[in-house]
Amino acid sequence: MNQNGIKIFTLRNSIPESNIALGHASILYDIVKNKIKVGLILEDDIDFVPGFTLKIEDIFTNQLPSDFDILYVSALPAEHGFKWEEYSKDLVKVHNGLWWFSGLIVSEKAAQKL
């Protein structure tokens, strides 16, 4: 732990994993720098399912609060520790335990926090 009581740990990853993380950090920086209200970050190998745009439109119009931070477009619940609660017809509020993000929509406010 450091002097502020924050647990310090070392995260080891491969060079490709590091490059992906740095790329995502660069996108977040651009969102803040250019005052982009909402940004979409996607992996380069995603496939859009039929009806995706209609579903996103419904979510933004009828389900998502205007002050949202992050909307995960695709993720995989962890085998252990996934904690969530139902939020609306198509959304859950995640508390813990997600990985394998293929895409997310992030607000400028959330990008500033990250």
Side-chain angles (χ1 to χ4, degrees), residues 49-61 63 89-90:
V49 297
F52 174 81
T53 54
L54 294 173
K55 179 74 70 177
I56 288 293
E57 182 178 353
D58 181 54
I59 287 170
F60 268 88
T61 304
Q63 301 178 56
K89 176 179 71 158
D90 298 304

PDB file of all heavy atoms in Angstrom, residues 49-61 63 89-90:
ATOM      1  N   VAL A  49     -25.166  -7.090 -35.198  1.00  0.00           N
ATOM      2  CA  VAL A  49     -26.291  -7.998 -35.394  1.00  0.00           C
ATOM      3  C   VAL A  49     -27.444  -7.226 -36.017  1.00  0.00           C
ATOM      4  O   VAL A  49     -27.554  -6.004 -35.841  1.00  0.00           O
ATOM      5  CB  VAL A  49     -26.737  -8.656 -34.063  1.00  0.00           C
ATOM      6  CG1 VAL A  49     -25.632  -9.512 -33.488  1.00  0.00           C
ATOM      7  CG2 VAL A  49     -27.178  -7.620 -33.061  1.00  0.00           C
ATOM      8  N   PRO A  50     -28.316  -7.914 -36.739  1.00  0.00           N
ATOM      9  CA  PRO A  50     -29.489  -7.226 -37.293  1.00  0.00           C
ATOM     10  C   PRO A  50     -30.299  -6.563 -36.177  1.00  0.00           C
ATOM     11  O   PRO A  50     -30.483  -7.141 -35.102  1.00  0.00           O
ATOM     12  CB  PRO A  50     -30.282  -8.357 -37.950  1.00  0.00           C
ATOM     13  CG  PRO A  50     -29.261  -9.410 -38.250  1.00  0.00           C
ATOM     14  CD  PRO A  50     -28.260  -9.323 -37.135  1.00  0.00           C
ATOM     15  N   GLY A  51     -30.720  -5.350 -36.410  1.00  0.00           N
ATOM     16  CA  GLY A  51     -31.509  -4.615 -35.435  1.00  0.00           C
ATOM     17  C   GLY A  51     -30.698  -3.807 -34.441  1.00  0.00           C
ATOM     18  O   GLY A  51     -31.259  -3.164 -33.557  1.00  0.00           O
ATOM     19  N   PHE A  52     -29.361  -3.817 -34.588  1.00  0.00           N
ATOM     20  CA  PHE A  52     -28.501  -3.109 -33.640  1.00  0.00           C
ATOM     21  C   PHE A  52     -28.871  -1.633 -33.539  1.00  0.00           C
ATOM     22  O   PHE A  52     -29.039  -1.102 -32.444  1.00  0.00           O
ATOM     23  CB  PHE A  52     -27.024  -3.260 -34.031  1.00  0.00           C
ATOM     24  CG  PHE A  52     -26.085  -2.443 -33.191  1.00  0.00           C
ATOM     25  CD1 PHE A  52     -25.689  -2.896 -31.939  1.00  0.00           C
ATOM     26  CD2 PHE A  52     -25.604  -1.225 -33.631  1.00  0.00           C
ATOM     27  CE1 PHE A  52     -24.825  -2.144 -31.150  1.00  0.00           C
ATOM     28  CE2 PHE A  52     -24.745  -0.466 -32.852  1.00  0.00           C
ATOM     29  CZ  PHE A  52     -24.358  -0.921 -31.611  1.00  0.00           C
ATOM     30  N   THR A  53     -28.992  -0.956 -34.670  1.00  0.00           N
ATOM     31  CA  THR A  53     -29.260   0.484 -34.633  1.00  0.00           C
ATOM     32  C   THR A  53     -30.630   0.789 -34.023  1.00  0.00           C
ATOM     33  O   THR A  53     -30.781   1.760 -33.295  1.00  0.00           O
ATOM     34  CB  THR A  53     -29.142   1.125 -36.029  1.00  0.00           C
ATOM     35  OG1 THR A  53     -29.988   0.432 -36.938  1.00  0.00           O
ATOM     36  CG2 THR A  53     -27.719   1.083 -36.538  1.00  0.00           C
ATOM     37  N   LEU A  54     -31.621  -0.052 -34.304  1.00  0.00           N
ATOM     38  CA  LEU A  54     -32.938   0.149 -33.702  1.00  0.00           C
ATOM     39  C   LEU A  54     -32.878  -0.030 -32.185  1.00  0.00           C
ATOM     40  O   LEU A  54     -33.493   0.725 -31.428  1.00  0.00           O
ATOM     41  CB  LEU A  54     -33.959  -0.813 -34.307  1.00  0.00           C
ATOM     42  CG  LEU A  54     -34.291  -0.594 -35.780  1.00  0.00           C
ATOM     43  CD1 LEU A  54     -35.178  -1.723 -36.292  1.00  0.00           C
ATOM     44  CD2 LEU A  54     -34.954   0.757 -35.979  1.00  0.00           C
ATOM     45  N   LYS A  55     -32.138  -1.022 -31.732  1.00  0.00           N
ATOM     46  CA  LYS A  55     -31.997  -1.286 -30.293  1.00  0.00           C
ATOM     47  C   LYS A  55     -31.277  -0.119 -29.613  1.00  0.00           C
ATOM     48  O   LYS A  55     -31.719   0.350 -28.556  1.00  0.00           O
ATOM     49  CB  LYS A  55     -31.232  -2.592 -30.063  1.00  0.00           C
ATOM     50  CG  LYS A  55     -30.998  -2.960 -28.622  1.00  0.00           C
ATOM     51  CD  LYS A  55     -32.237  -3.465 -27.935  1.00  0.00           C
ATOM     52  CE  LYS A  55     -32.579  -4.820 -28.487  1.00  0.00           C
ATOM     53  NZ  LYS A  55     -33.730  -5.417 -27.828  1.00  0.00           N
ATOM     54  N   ILE A  56     -30.188   0.368 -30.202  1.00  0.00           N
ATOM     55  CA  ILE A  56     -29.447   1.490 -29.616  1.00  0.00           C
ATOM     56  C   ILE A  56     -30.322   2.737 -29.579  1.00  0.00           C
ATOM     57  O   ILE A  56     -30.330   3.480 -28.597  1.00  0.00           O
ATOM     58  CB  ILE A  56     -28.128   1.747 -30.395  1.00  0.00           C
ATOM     59  CG1 ILE A  56     -27.116   0.634 -30.101  1.00  0.00           C
ATOM     60  CG2 ILE A  56     -27.529   3.108 -30.065  1.00  0.00           C
ATOM     61  CD1 ILE A  56     -26.592   0.604 -28.679  1.00  0.00           C
ATOM     62  N   GLU A  57     -31.069   2.979 -30.641  1.00  0.00           N
ATOM     63  CA  GLU A  57     -31.966   4.137 -30.665  1.00  0.00           C
ATOM     64  C   GLU A  57     -32.999   4.038 -29.538  1.00  0.00           C
ATOM     65  O   GLU A  57     -33.254   5.018 -28.836  1.00  0.00           O
ATOM     66  CB  GLU A  57     -32.665   4.241 -32.018  1.00  0.00           C
ATOM     67  CG  GLU A  57     -33.565   5.454 -32.118  1.00  0.00           C
ATOM     68  CD  GLU A  57     -34.229   5.596 -33.470  1.00  0.00           C
ATOM     69  OE1 GLU A  57     -33.908   4.840 -34.406  1.00  0.00           O
ATOM     70  OE2 GLU A  57     -35.091   6.478 -33.585  1.00  0.00           O
ATOM     71  N   ASP A  58     -33.580   2.871 -29.340  1.00  0.00           N
ATOM     72  CA  ASP A  58     -34.550   2.683 -28.267  1.00  0.00           C
ATOM     73  C   ASP A  58     -33.902   2.882 -26.903  1.00  0.00           C
ATOM     74  O   ASP A  58     -34.482   3.515 -26.017  1.00  0.00           O
ATOM     75  CB  ASP A  58     -35.192   1.297 -28.360  1.00  0.00           C
ATOM     76  CG  ASP A  58     -36.217   1.071 -27.266  1.00  0.00           C
ATOM     77  OD1 ASP A  58     -37.153   1.900 -27.132  1.00  0.00           O
ATOM     78  OD2 ASP A  58     -36.088   0.077 -26.530  1.00  0.00           O
ATOM     79  N   ILE A  59     -32.713   2.358 -26.740  1.00  0.00           N
ATOM     80  CA  ILE A  59     -32.010   2.498 -25.458  1.00  0.00           C
ATOM     81  C   ILE A  59     -31.747   3.971 -25.156  1.00  0.00           C
ATOM     82  O   ILE A  59     -32.022   4.450 -24.056  1.00  0.00           O
ATOM     83  CB  ILE A  59     -30.709   1.667 -25.452  1.00  0.00           C
ATOM     84  CG1 ILE A  59     -31.058   0.174 -25.353  1.00  0.00           C
ATOM     85  CG2 ILE A  59     -29.780   2.090 -24.319  1.00  0.00           C
ATOM     86  CD1 ILE A  59     -29.882  -0.760 -25.580  1.00  0.00           C
ATOM     87  N   PHE A  60     -31.235   4.715 -26.132  1.00  0.00           N
ATOM     88  CA  PHE A  60     -30.937   6.130 -25.907  1.00  0.00           C
ATOM     89  C   PHE A  60     -32.201   6.963 -25.737  1.00  0.00           C
ATOM     90  O   PHE A  60     -32.227   7.922 -24.971  1.00  0.00           O
ATOM     91  CB  PHE A  60     -30.076   6.693 -27.047  1.00  0.00           C
ATOM     92  CG  PHE A  60     -28.613   6.605 -26.773  1.00  0.00           C
ATOM     93  CD1 PHE A  60     -27.904   5.476 -27.120  1.00  0.00           C
ATOM     94  CD2 PHE A  60     -27.937   7.635 -26.149  1.00  0.00           C
ATOM     95  CE1 PHE A  60     -26.547   5.367 -26.859  1.00  0.00           C
ATOM     96  CE2 PHE A  60     -26.583   7.545 -25.878  1.00  0.00           C
ATOM     97  CZ  PHE A  60     -25.881   6.409 -26.238  1.00  0.00           C
ATOM     98  N   THR A  61     -33.254   6.592 -26.434  1.00  0.00           N
ATOM     99  CA  THR A  61     -34.496   7.360 -26.387  1.00  0.00           C
ATOM    100  C   THR A  61     -35.336   7.052 -25.153  1.00  0.00           C
ATOM    101  O   THR A  61     -35.915   7.949 -24.545  1.00  0.00           O
ATOM    102  CB  THR A  61     -35.333   7.093 -27.651  1.00  0.00           C
ATOM    103  OG1 THR A  61     -34.539   7.389 -28.799  1.00  0.00           O
ATOM    104  CG2 THR A  61     -36.582   7.940 -27.677  1.00  0.00           C
ATOM    105  N   GLN A  63     -34.523   4.367 -22.438  1.00  0.00           N
ATOM    106  CA  GLN A  63     -34.038   3.589 -21.302  1.00  0.00           C
ATOM    107  C   GLN A  63     -32.837   4.182 -20.573  1.00  0.00           C
ATOM    108  O   GLN A  63     -32.691   3.989 -19.369  1.00  0.00           O
ATOM    109  CB  GLN A  63     -33.684   2.165 -21.763  1.00  0.00           C
ATOM    110  CG  GLN A  63     -34.845   1.421 -22.365  1.00  0.00           C
ATOM    111  CD  GLN A  63     -34.442   0.050 -22.849  1.00  0.00           C
ATOM    112  OE1 GLN A  63     -33.902  -0.752 -22.077  1.00  0.00           O
ATOM    113  NE2 GLN A  63     -34.695  -0.236 -24.118  1.00  0.00           N
ATOM    114  N   LYS A  89     -35.634  -2.712 -19.642  1.00  0.00           N
ATOM    115  CA  LYS A  89     -35.908  -3.850 -20.517  1.00  0.00           C
ATOM    116  C   LYS A  89     -34.635  -4.444 -21.119  1.00  0.00           C
ATOM    117  O   LYS A  89     -34.475  -5.668 -21.174  1.00  0.00           O
ATOM    118  CB  LYS A  89     -36.863  -3.394 -21.631  1.00  0.00           C
ATOM    119  CG  LYS A  89     -37.176  -4.436 -22.688  1.00  0.00           C
ATOM    120  CD  LYS A  89     -38.141  -3.896 -23.727  1.00  0.00           C
ATOM    121  CE  LYS A  89     -37.428  -2.880 -24.576  1.00  0.00           C
ATOM    122  NZ  LYS A  89     -38.000  -2.627 -25.876  1.00  0.00           N
ATOM    123  N   ASP A  90     -33.709  -3.612 -21.558  1.00  0.00           N
ATOM    124  CA  ASP A  90     -32.503  -4.084 -22.248  1.00  0.00           C
ATOM    125  C   ASP A  90     -31.206  -3.790 -21.517  1.00  0.00           C
ATOM    126  O   ASP A  90     -30.128  -4.087 -22.029  1.00  0.00           O
ATOM    127  CB  ASP A  90     -32.427  -3.450 -23.643  1.00  0.00           C
ATOM    128  CG  ASP A  90     -33.591  -3.841 -24.519  1.00  0.00           C
ATOM    129  OD1 ASP A  90     -33.795  -5.055 -24.701  1.00  0.00           O
ATOM    130  OD2 ASP A  90     -34.306  -2.947 -25.014  1.00  0.00           O
TER     131      ASP A  90
END
